Amino acid sequence: IIYDKIKYDFDGYKHTYDIANAADYNADLFKAIDYCINYSTEGTNKGDWHLGAAGEMIMLAQNLAIVNASILLNNIGTPISMLGFWTSSQYYDGLFVYSWYVTLDDGNSGMRGCRDYKHQVLPLLAFTKQA
């Protein structure tokens, strides 16, 4: 997905499980995906969560104050930090596949090879599961 289109990418659930089901999938190399597909909480199961697409993470950045206020008001966890988070949105330059990340303080995104840089992972709960 090229930079001009990432804000319209809301297919995180599909991307996550497409990557996990790919022939070359290796949990040791794709730790962010592995973490999300194996994540569960009380009331949720493995497979309910996904690594958000760039558009989903940008939308989260735009609404972070409301999301964090809800977390605090309902006493359901720790507010989400404003650091850089990996997304499941990818870009292929003809030679390498890169993963996009989004910083939640301003919703900006950048592109880095997922094996070269460390960013946080934030599993998202799918509102509806996609085929």
Side-chain angles (χ1 to χ4, degrees):
I1 300 170
I2 62 170
Y3 181 77
D4 294 345
K5 304 240 186 235
I6 62 170
K7 65 183 175 184
Y8 305 110
D9 183 13
F10 292 91
D11 290 331
Y13 191 89
K14 181 180 182 316
H15 296 326
T16 299
Y17 290 91
D18 283 351
I19 294 167
N21 292 319
D24 65 344
Y25 178 73
N26 179 325
D28 291 330
L29 295 178
F30 299 98
K31 291 181 184 204
I33 295 292
D34 187 62
Y35 181 79
C36 291
I37 64 175
N38 287 301
Y39 189 75
S40 66
T41 63
E42 185 177 328
T44 68
N45 300 304
K46 289 184 349 180
D48 290 343
W49 297 84
H50 68 278
L51 184 59
E56 293 170 309
M57 297 303 285
I58 290 168
M59 184 178 284
L60 176 60
Q62 293 168 341
N63 294 285
L64 190 60
I66 295 167
V67 171
N68 279 339
S70 296
I71 290 170
L72 291 171
L73 182 66
N74 293 295
N75 196 30
I76 56 173
T78 305
I80 300 168
S81 71
M82 297 186 295
L83 301 174
F85 289 90
W86 284 119
T87 76
S88 58
S89 301
Q90 298 185 34
Y91 174 76
Y92 178 64
D93 69 358
L95 189 58
F96 297 105
V97 176
Y98 298 93
S99 294
W100 291 100
Y101 69 89
V102 172
T103 54
L104 296 186
D105 61 341
D106 56 11
N108 284 328
S109 57
M111 179 177 61
R112 293 288 188 261
C114 59
R115 295 177 189 101
D116 300 331
Y117 285 76
K118 292 182 181 180
H119 289 293
Q120 293 184 330
V121 175
L122 179 65
L124 297 181
L125 184 60
F127 294 110
T128 59
K129 290 185 182 177
Q130 301 170 4

